[in-house]
Amino acid sequence: MTLLAVAPPLDARPLTVRTGAEIHGVRLAGDLPDSTVAAIRQALLKHKVIFFRGQGHLDEAAHEAFARRLGPLQPHPARAAVQGTQATLNLDSRDTRSSTWHADLTFLNAFPALSVLRGVEIPALGGDTLWANTASAYEHLPGPFKAFVDSLWAVHSNVYDSSALIPAGSTTAAEFHAQLSKKRVIETEHPVVHVHPETGERSLLLGHFVKRLVGFNSPDSARLLAILQDHAVAHENIVRWRWQPGDVAIWDNRATLHKAVDDYNDAPRIVRRVTVSGTFATAVDGATSVTRQSADSAGVA
């Protein structure tokens, strides 16, 4: 009888009480044992975002090969992948630069489950990334407020206020966001509180792709969203990662928000991201996300 090799428990060291852990002793690759991949996934579900130092051996092919062990890859709907790859997105601060809280691609009906980000060129100082645990944020809402937000739905759109994402004078970034919005208008209604498909936890689904709350006028929608966003990104829910070249961060896109800190002036910052496909969001009552609009945006103001 052949016995399956059992990987030792992961050396996962929490970085804060609620969010984030650094994993030691793992060399990421597409041929990791199934038991190690399962342990990585369990650590991710527990800590919401996990970090690996010293992964400089990864190139684009190896990055994607590892990410595929976590699920099917999801190319960006508007941006071309790095040449020769299926779904690797190059994020170069000299081309695009933003610093707002978001979850990846939530304007899609089935938005990414996970993202795997690799540090390629990192400023000597600055350019950290923050993650906020939106399951913890929901858990610590006041009881009566939970009952209220459980029923809320929001419109997520790829047409957003790009001026809020771009530093002054960043013409290239401004042109990019304008092109992204012009290619295709995608709008989806998601529940503000969704049930995680793997853990069963309830999490807030927010971020800069949210356009408005369904059924509310603009001022009331903005006020309510600001209150929820403040709860989501409370200091208690946040972990901050100081990048080094070769670092890898993996986050649960269904239970976090993240933002890059734009404090590194003209120093280049290059990271590459691969996203793993997810499913639609499921509300507390079992209803699921609905695509409202998915069409060319010609003629849209």
Side-chain angles (χ1 to χ4, degrees):
M1 182 175 64
T2 302
L3 296 178
L4 293 176
V6 177
L10 286 185
D11 181 3
R13 305 178 190 180
L15 297 172
T16 76
V17 172
R18 298 184 185 178
T19 313
E22 185 175 343
I23 310 298
H24 293 257
V26 175
R27 188 178 191 271
L28 298 178
D31 60 356
L32 284 174
D34 290 346
S35 55
T36 302
V37 174
I40 289 172
R41 193 175 196 93
Q42 287 305 308
L44 178 63
L45 293 175
K46 178 180 179 179
H47 298 287
K48 312 311 180 195
V49 54
I50 54 178
F51 305 96
F52 302 77
R53 296 278 194 198
Q55 306 297 315
H57 61 280
L58 293 176
D59 58 12
E60 278 63 58
H63 186 169
E64 289 196 344
F66 166 71
R68 283 192 191 93
R69 298 296 305 280
L70 301 173
L73 305 190
Q74 180 165 10
H76 195 284
R79 298 188 63 182
V82 171
Q83 187 173 5
T85 71
Q86 177 190 347
T88 300
L89 187 66
N90 189 57
L91 300 170
D92 188 330
S93 62
R94 294 166 295 188
D95 299 327
T96 62
R97 200 156 164 170
S98 64
S99 185
T100 59
W101 288 104
H102 65 287
D104 291 331
L105 306 181
T106 58
F107 51 84
L108 298 177
N109 187 326
F111 59 96
L114 316 171
S115 289
V116 183
L117 190 66
R118 175 168 56 99
V120 177
E121 187 170 348
I122 303 299
L125 189 63
D128 299 351
T129 303
L130 310 176
W131 280 266
N133 181 340
T134 56
S136 172
Y138 176 83
E139 180 185 354
H140 290 89
L141 289 176
F145 198 35
K146 284 183 183 176
F148 172 63
V149 299
D150 279 350
S151 64
L152 296 181
W153 286 69
V155 176
H156 294 237
S157 174
N158 66 326
V159 180
Y160 48 84
D161 182 9
S162 59
S163 64
L165 309 181
I166 303 162
S170 183
T171 305
T172 304
E175 290 174 352
F176 160 71
H177 285 297
Q179 286 300 114
L180 177 64
S181 296
K182 287 179 180 177
K183 283 185 177 180
R184 192 181 181 200
V185 174
I186 305 173
E187 290 189 352
T188 298
E189 288 184 9
H190 289 304
V192 171
V193 178
H194 77 111
V195 180
H196 195 287
E198 295 185 70
T199 67
E201 293 176 303
R202 296 182 184 183
S203 296
L204 298 175
L205 184 50
L206 300 167
H208 74 221
F209 291 114
V210 175
K211 194 172 183 180
R212 64 182 181 279
L213 290 175
V214 177
F216 291 84
N217 62 35
S218 294
D220 288 346
S221 174
R223 292 188 189 99
L224 287 169
L225 286 170
I227 292 171
L228 288 169
Q229 191 76 12
D230 286 346
H231 279 281
V233 301
H235 293 294
E236 296 84 355
N237 298 323
I238 291 174
V239 64
R240 181 170 183 147
W241 184 251
R242 176 168 290 181
W243 287 95
Q244 297 175 11
D247 286 356
V248 170
I250 309 172
W251 64 92
D252 188 336
N253 196 52
R254 302 158 296 187
T256 57
L257 296 171
H258 62 279
K259 66 177 285 188
V261 179
D262 186 5
D263 61 352
Y264 48 98
N265 300 321
D266 295 328
R269 179 183 186 272
I270 301 172
V271 293
R272 293 192 180 129
R273 189 186 80 203
V274 177
T275 54
V276 174
S277 297
T279 62
F280 41 72
T282 301
V284 172
D285 64 3
T288 56
S289 306
V290 179
T291 298
R292 302 177 72 254
Q293 182 174 348
S294 180
D296 294 336
S297 62
V300 176

